[in-house]
């Protein structure tokens, strides 16, 4: 009885949840803009159960290729019930221009509900596949890997960002992604911008609605002028595409395919900084900054220290220029500055402050001036140079030795007479009292007998070492193995130091593999693709298994930079790299 009671309550709550929703007939199209020879998918959905007598639009400017395909779905998520009854058509435009799809209608509880009108822009015919239902063609039309650049003509030293987005239409589903080739930023200082998760957002691509995620984002600062290219990012994506068929319940049947996608190559043309108005003290700072020089103590005693702080703060290329140097009088002893950086990389540039802290120690009593300091930078928004000059600083030493000035107004410490105080300082002796030192004979000494017995011990040891070396040298396989392992340790030493630091470790690992091939083959490997590396190794008669292992380590290194990685996984990648260098060295 209790079970029946609970079932009745559940059904009642389900019905109330469904009734609580407002009845609505919605319409959704796969694209708002298409070519005359392309097809369009349009779906009408009713969110209430019990509706009937669906009347489609007349589609007067379209040819109905397929439909209506009906489907019903109902779900209960977090206590909320959703219901959908949909009618789907595949249509093709008959002419070019702005075409209107009139509203569809459906009957619900004696009332007639209408959908909205839809405007479709039809352009000239485009190149399409012979079979529009080909899964590869559908995937190509519904998924786009795009590199977004914030600015294509920045100044040298001006920060821009590149953002890699994966756009996916609602017609297909993505089940798995993997980066096969990461972009290279040659000619740029670059810093990856961390992304918290991969939230799905809504946006437009070529005027159509898409879901998209941001895969990678980086800050780029061009270091030279000219045409700089950003190579494409390449990915393998597993996609579920509709086959145009439906199952027994009217649900669309999908097929999973794996396809490679690549972003377009991007070209950046950095501009050189203007020569007009360039200050003499300009040191490469580009952005918008504040500048300040301060003194921790203005009054102090001799041999008491004070600190001068030189601070540049704001937004720009903070890590790519040197701070101005503070000049002090000779009477103020100045030490090398301590650098402090508090910067973070944001989507619109590097933000924060860089500080140099000088420690000064006065030697004599008096008042001393620290001359003003100037800092110049280029403001890309205002397109001009700006200079900030600080005020003079003064240090007053209240207690200490007096500094005597000569007639020529040159500050020199006064020469003092040396005073004898105990045993701290003595005058130079003019007379000597030398005594003969006793000597012992070498013959019959301990050292004499030790050297006498040394050959009797050294000869057998030398013979044993020679035989051992001869045995090791005769083992050709072992000798090659030891040589290869030593070579692997040499190239991977930097990567081993960076274990535990993900970004630095994988950069060092990839650089080690490239440097090894460069040294062995005598060619520049870092700038060529993995396919060319494969062909080069095949020409050198390296077996395919070893080549595949080498490429897999490179791919894993690229992919691991953008995914969470444990220290154990980094150690495993290090051992794999070490083993593959040993195997390659045996064959090259």
């Amino acid at each position: 009885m209790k079970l029946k009671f609970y079932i009745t309550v559940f059904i009642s709550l389900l019905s109330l949840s469904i009734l609580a929703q407002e009845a609505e007939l919605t319409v959704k199209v796969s694209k708002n803009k298409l070519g005359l020879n392309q097809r369009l998918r349009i779906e009408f959905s009713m969110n209430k159960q019990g509706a009937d007598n669906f009347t489609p639009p007349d589609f007067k400017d379209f040819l109905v290729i397929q439909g209506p395909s009906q489907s019903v779905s109902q779900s209960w998520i977090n206590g909320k019930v959703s219901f959908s009854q949909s009618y789907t058509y595949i249509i093709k435009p008959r002419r070019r221009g702005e075409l209107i799809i009139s509203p569809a209608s459906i009957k619900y509880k004696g009332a007639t509900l209408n959908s909205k009108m839809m405007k479709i822009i039809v352009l000239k015919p485009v190149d399409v596949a012979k079979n529009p239902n080909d899964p590869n063609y559908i995937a190509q039309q519904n998924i786009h890997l795009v590199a977004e650049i914030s600015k294509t003509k920045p100044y040298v030293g001006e920060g821009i960002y590149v953002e890699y987005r994966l756009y996916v239409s609602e017609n297909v589903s993505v089940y798995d992604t993997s980066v096969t080739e990461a972009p290279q930023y040659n000619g740029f200082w670059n810093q990856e911008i961390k992304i918290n998760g991969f939230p799905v957002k809504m946006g437009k691509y070529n005027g159509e609605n898409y879901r998209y995620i941001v895969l990678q984002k980086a800050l780029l600062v061009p270091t030279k002028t000219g045409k700089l290219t950003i190579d494409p990012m390449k990915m393998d994506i597993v996609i579920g595409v509709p086959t145009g068929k439906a199952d027994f319940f009217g649900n669309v049947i999908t097929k999973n395919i794996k396809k490679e996608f690549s972003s377009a190559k991007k070209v950046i043309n950095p501009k050189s900084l203007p020569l007009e108005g360039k200050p003499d003290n300009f040191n490469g700072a580009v952005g918008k900054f504040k500048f300040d020089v301060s003194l921790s103590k203005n009054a102090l005693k001799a041999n008491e220290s004070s600190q001068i702080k030189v601070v540049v703060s704001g937004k720009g290329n903070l890590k790519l220029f040197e701070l101005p140097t503070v000049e002090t009088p000779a009477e103020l002893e100045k030490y090398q500055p301590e650098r402090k950086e508090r910067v973070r990389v944001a989507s619109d540039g590097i933000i924060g402050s860089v500080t140099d802290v000088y420690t000064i120690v006065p030697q004599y009593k008096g008042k001393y001036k620290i001359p003003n300091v100037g800092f110049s930078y280029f403001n890309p928004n205002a397109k001009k140079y700006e200079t900030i000059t600080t005020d003079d600083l003064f240090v007053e030493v209240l207690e200490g030795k007096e500094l005597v000035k000569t007639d020529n107004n040159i500050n020199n410490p006064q020469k003092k007479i040396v005073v004898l105080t105990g045993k701290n300082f003595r005058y130079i002796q003019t007379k000597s009292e030398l005594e003969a030192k006793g000597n012992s004979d070498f013959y019959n000494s301990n050292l004499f007998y030790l050297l006498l017995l040394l050959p009797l011990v050294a000869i057998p040891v030398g013979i044993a070492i020679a035989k051992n070396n001869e045995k090791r040298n005769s083992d050709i396989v072992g000798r090659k193995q030891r040589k290869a392992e030593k070579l692997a340790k040499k190239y991977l030493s930097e990567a081993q130091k960076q274990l535990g630091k993900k970004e630095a470790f994988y950069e060092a690992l990839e650089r080690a593999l490239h440097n090894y091939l460069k040294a062995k083959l005598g060619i520049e490997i870092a700038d060529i693709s993995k396919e060319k590396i494969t062909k080069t190794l095949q020409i050198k008669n390296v077996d395919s298994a070893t080549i595949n292992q080498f490429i897999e380590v490179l791919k894993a290194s690229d992919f691991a930079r953008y995914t969470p990685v444990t220290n154990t996984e980094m150690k495993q990648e290090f051992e794999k790299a070490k083993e593959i260098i040993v195997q390659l060295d045996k064959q090259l």
Side-chain angles (χ1 to χ4, degrees):
M1 292 296 292
K2 286 186 177 181
L3 180 60
K4 290 183 178 180
F5 172 75
Y6 290 140
I7 293 174
T8 304
V9 172
F10 176 78
I11 294 174
S12 300
L13 291 173
L14 181 63
S15 302
L16 288 172
S17 299
I18 295 175
L19 290 172
Q21 300 173 359
E22 185 179 350
E24 185 182 15
L25 179 62
T26 58
V27 60
K28 183 171 60 177
V29 294
S30 59
K31 54 182 70 179
N32 298 96
K33 186 186 296 184
L34 71 160
L36 182 60
N37 58 337
Q38 290 183 296
R39 296 179 178 185
L40 174 71
R41 182 175 178 268
I42 184 169
E43 181 182 285
F44 301 92
S45 298
M46 180 65 188
N47 65 341
K48 289 290 184 179
Q49 194 171 7
D52 57 6
N53 295 329
F54 173 76
T55 304
D58 54 16
F59 294 123
K60 63 178 181 178
D61 292 321
F62 295 87
L63 176 65
V64 178
I65 304 298
Q66 180 182 324
S69 299
Q70 298 186 39
S71 64
V72 177
S73 65
Q74 185 170 314
S75 62
W76 180 300
I77 301 174
N78 296 329
K80 294 183 179 181
V81 178
S82 63
F83 174 84
S84 176
Q85 180 178 342
S86 62
Y87 304 84
T88 305
Y89 295 84
I90 305 297
I91 58 178
K92 183 179 179 182
R94 297 178 184 271
R95 62 181 180 87
R96 292 171 58 180
E98 292 187 359
L99 308 183
I100 301 296
I101 299 177
S102 58
S105 64
I106 197 169
K107 297 286 185 180
Y108 178 70
K109 290 186 176 182
T112 301
L113 301 177
N114 296 316
S115 65
K116 295 179 181 179
M117 291 190 304
M118 297 297 295
K119 183 173 73 172
I120 306 298
I121 300 175
V122 182
L123 306 174
K124 63 181 181 180
V126 298
D127 294 333
V128 297
K130 294 181 180 179
N131 179 15
N133 292 321
D134 178 23
N136 287 289
Y137 172 72
I138 296 174
Q140 191 73 35
Q141 294 297 311
N142 289 276
I143 293 184
H144 308 278
L145 180 57
V146 180
E148 301 280 355
I149 303 291
S150 62
K151 198 172 185 179
T152 57
K153 292 183 178 181
Y155 286 99
V156 171
E158 180 183 2
I160 62 173
Y161 72 85
V162 57
E163 185 175 277
Y164 290 89
R165 296 182 178 181
L166 183 64
Y167 287 92
V168 182
S169 77
E170 295 185 353
N171 302 323
V172 297
S173 301
V174 172
Y175 295 109
D176 189 26
T177 62
S178 62
V179 177
T180 58
E181 191 166 328
Q184 299 294 321
Y185 305 120
N186 297 321
F188 296 92
W189 179 92
N190 65 88
Q191 178 69 51
E192 181 183 352
I193 300 173
K194 292 184 179 180
I195 302 173
N196 296 324
F198 297 96
V200 178
K201 303 178 183 179
M202 298 301 297
K204 287 189 177 290
Y205 178 74
N206 287 341
E208 300 176 18
N209 292 323
Y210 277 84
R211 300 165 294 168
Y212 76 90
I213 60 173
V214 178
L215 298 169
Q216 182 180 331
K217 197 170 185 178
L219 176 70
L220 308 180
V221 180
T223 57
K224 60 182 180 180
T225 59
K227 184 179 178 181
L228 303 179
T229 59
I230 301 176
D231 293 333
M233 171 189 278
K234 294 182 180 179
M235 295 185 69
D236 283 341
I237 304 177
V238 179
I239 315 152
V241 298
T243 60
K245 301 178 182 179
D247 59 16
F248 177 77
F249 299 100
N251 299 316
V252 177
I253 299 174
T254 61
K255 178 182 179 181
N256 291 351
I257 64 169
K258 185 177 181 180
K259 187 173 178 63
E260 183 182 65
F261 289 84
S262 175
S263 63
K265 180 184 289 186
K266 292 293 182 178
V267 177
I268 309 296
N269 293 285
K271 299 179 290 186
S272 58
L273 298 177
L275 297 176
E276 183 180 356
K278 183 178 179 180
D280 293 335
N281 65 345
F282 177 70
N283 203 21
V286 179
K288 180 64 177 176
F289 302 104
K290 294 179 181 179
F291 179 64
D292 182 59
V293 178
S294 61
L295 192 63
S296 63
K297 293 180 182 178
N298 295 316
L300 60 160
K301 303 176 183 178
N303 297 320
E304 185 181 358
S305 67
S306 180
Q307 290 184 328
I308 303 173
K309 286 187 178 181
V310 181
V311 184
V312 174
S313 61
K315 182 175 72 175
N317 59 342
L318 282 165
K319 293 187 175 184
L320 303 179
F321 61 85
E322 289 297 325
L323 271 60
T325 303
V326 175
E327 300 296 336
T328 59
E331 293 78 18
L332 300 179
E333 187 176 357
K334 181 181 71 174
Y335 294 87
Q336 286 295 324
E338 177 188 357
R339 173 63 58 91
K340 296 181 180 179
E341 294 184 357
R342 297 182 63 182
V343 298
R344 62 182 180 88
V345 179
S347 59
D348 56 347
I350 304 175
I351 301 173
S353 64
V354 179
T355 305
D356 276 351
V357 180
Y358 295 84
T359 298
I360 58 170
V361 179
Q363 301 297 315
Y364 302 98
K365 183 178 178 181
K367 188 172 183 179
Y368 304 99
K369 182 177 80 171
I370 300 174
N372 62 63
V373 184
F375 171 68
S376 297
Y377 64 92
F378 181 77
N379 188 335
N381 294 328
K383 298 182 180 180
K384 65 178 183 178
Y385 294 95
E386 297 180 5
T387 300
I388 302 173
T389 303
T390 63
D391 297 329
D392 294 337
L393 299 177
F394 294 90
V395 176
E396 186 172 4
V397 184
L398 303 176
E399 297 180 14
K401 294 181 289 185
E402 293 285 349
L403 183 64
V404 180
K405 297 183 179 180
T406 64
D407 294 338
N408 296 326
N409 294 324
I410 300 175
N411 295 339
N412 288 312
Q414 186 177 13
K415 184 177 179 181
K416 300 265 179 118
I417 300 174
V418 178
V419 179
L420 183 62
T421 57
K423 295 184 179 180
N424 293 333
F425 297 96
R426 290 181 176 273
Y427 292 106
I428 299 174
Q429 294 284 351
T430 57
K431 295 181 180 180
S432 62
E433 297 177 359
L434 302 178
E435 294 180 1
K437 187 177 180 181
N439 294 325
S440 60
D441 293 334
F442 173 69
Y443 182 69
N444 287 332
S445 66
N446 292 335
L447 180 60
F448 171 78
Y449 289 107
L450 180 64
L451 294 176
L452 189 64
L453 295 173
L454 183 62
L456 299 177
V457 178
I459 292 173
V461 173
I463 293 173
I465 293 173
K467 286 184 178 180
N468 186 53
N469 289 336
E470 185 179 354
K471 183 179 178 180
R472 286 169 59 90
N473 293 333
S474 63
D475 182 11
I476 298 175
V477 175
R479 186 172 58 186
K480 287 186 176 181
Q481 177 76 14
R482 290 189 295 272
K483 182 181 177 183
E485 289 177 355
K486 184 178 180 182
L487 190 65
K489 289 180 180 178
K490 172 186 174 183
Y491 281 99
L492 294 171
S493 59
E494 181 62 26
Q496 190 174 20
K497 293 178 183 177
Q498 302 297 338
L499 276 170
K501 304 174 184 177
K502 185 183 78 171
E503 189 70 24
F505 169 73
Y506 283 106
E507 285 182 3
L509 185 67
E510 186 176 5
R511 186 166 57 250
L513 294 174
H514 284 155
N515 288 341
Y516 169 75
L517 287 185
K518 177 181 177 181
K520 274 291 180 181
L521 304 179
I523 59 174
E524 194 67 41
I525 298 294
D527 296 331
I528 66 176
S529 65
K530 296 177 178 60
E531 291 79 8
K532 291 184 179 179
I533 292 176
T534 301
K535 291 181 181 178
T536 304
L537 292 177
Q538 287 174 344
I539 294 173
K540 296 293 183 179
N541 296 321
V542 177
D543 63 70
S544 58
T546 304
I547 295 174
N548 291 336
Q549 290 176 9
F550 184 85
I551 298 300
E552 285 301 321
V553 172
L554 282 178
K555 288 183 178 179
S557 177
D558 289 339
F559 180 69
R561 296 185 193 179
Y562 315 106
T563 57
V565 177
T566 64
N567 290 342
T568 302
E569 290 173 325
M570 278 191 272
K571 289 179 181 178
Q572 291 174 352
E573 290 298 332
F574 177 80
E575 293 300 328
K576 287 181 183 177
K578 181 179 175 182
E579 178 62 25
I580 196 60
I581 289 180
V582 171
Q583 294 299 325
L584 277 175
D585 203 65
K586 291 178 181 179
Q587 301 180 47
L588 290 175

